């Protein structure tokens, strides 16, 4: 079975993005660029990734991918986008649009990962769906020195300390990188 890893940046108070889906607060953190380049090491162990439609639409727009499909960063990674809608495709990329329960796509996801890890990009509820299904193994967060009044939640589930174990703490510039393993069982 692949390890399923949620790896993301977050505000100190647990938001992935503001209410308008903006990440402007993240890009202005000193050292955000070097944190991003260190991230490429993480990607070498990833065989498949999963994201929700808001995240996909943000990437499409941010990188202008419909006009510049060559800017798609995940050429060697099978990418799953969960959505109930029809969304634009990035030419030449292996992007699979799926909907419904995580269990319905699980076998295909395991197969696509080819023995490597699965990266959950987000958003938070999507990761919660994997936790609900017992398919979340690790949470890696880079905590930015930012708070927001409101926004898109990091992981809107109740998962208590009997299931979350802190295994590593590292400072990377202004970011605190925390790694937790997630024990099996259903999220509340
Ligand atoms: N800070 C970071 O590093 C970071 C990381 C990740 C994301 N982000 C940002 O955080 C925000 C997250 O947005 P979000 O909370 O709206 O989450 P999201 O997961 O990106 O999108 C949620 C949408 O995905 C679709 N979806 C999710 N699960 C589904 C399922 N099982 N079946 C079918 N469709 C499903 C639904 O929309 P439809 O069915 O209508 O398509 C749902 O409303 C984005 O702006 C993203 O850019 C930031």
């Amino acid at each position: 079975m692949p390890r399923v890893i949620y790896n993301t940046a977050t505000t100190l108070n647990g938001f992935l993005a503001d209410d308008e889906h903006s990440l402007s607060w993240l890009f202005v953190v000193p050292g955000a660029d070097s944190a991003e380049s260190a991230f490429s090491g993480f990607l070498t162990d990833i065989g498949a990734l999963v994201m929700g439609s808001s995240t996909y639409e943000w990437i499409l727009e941010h990188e202008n991918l419909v006009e510049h499909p060559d800017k798609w960063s995940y050429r060697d990674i099978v990418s799953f986008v969960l959505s109930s809608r029809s969304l634009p495709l990035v030419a030449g990329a292996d992007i699979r649009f799926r909907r419904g329960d995580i269990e319905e796509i699980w076998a295909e996801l395991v197969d696509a990962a080819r023995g490597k890890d699965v990266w959950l990009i987000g958003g938070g509820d999507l990761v919660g769906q994997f936790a609900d299904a017992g398919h979340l193994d690790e949470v890696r967060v880079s905590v930015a020195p930012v708070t927001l009044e409101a926004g898109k939640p990091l992981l809107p589930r109740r998962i208590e300390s009997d299931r979350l174990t802190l295994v590593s703490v590292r400072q990377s510039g202004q970011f605190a990188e925390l790694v937790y393993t997630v024990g099996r069982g259903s999220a509340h």
Side-chain angles (χ1 to χ4, degrees), residues 86-97:
S86 288
L87 297 170
L89 191 57
V90 178
D94 187 351
I95 299 176
R96 304 179 188 182
F97 297 97

Side-chain angles (χ1 to χ4, degrees), residues 148-168:
L148 296 172
E149 305 92 328
K152 304 299 171 188
L154 173 66
L155 182 40
R157 292 294 191 280
R158 184 170 178 136
I159 307 176
E160 297 189 7
S161 56
D162 57 333
R163 294 189 51 210
L164 281 174
T165 304
L166 179 66
V167 293
S168 141

Side-chain angles (χ1 to χ4, degrees), residues 8-9 16-17 21 52-55 58 82-85 100 121 123 129:
T8 188
L16 295 176
H21 291 279
S53 61
S54 303
T55 301
W58 184 92
L82 298 191
S83 182
S84 58
R85 295 172 291 130
I121 299 186
Q129 294 174 50

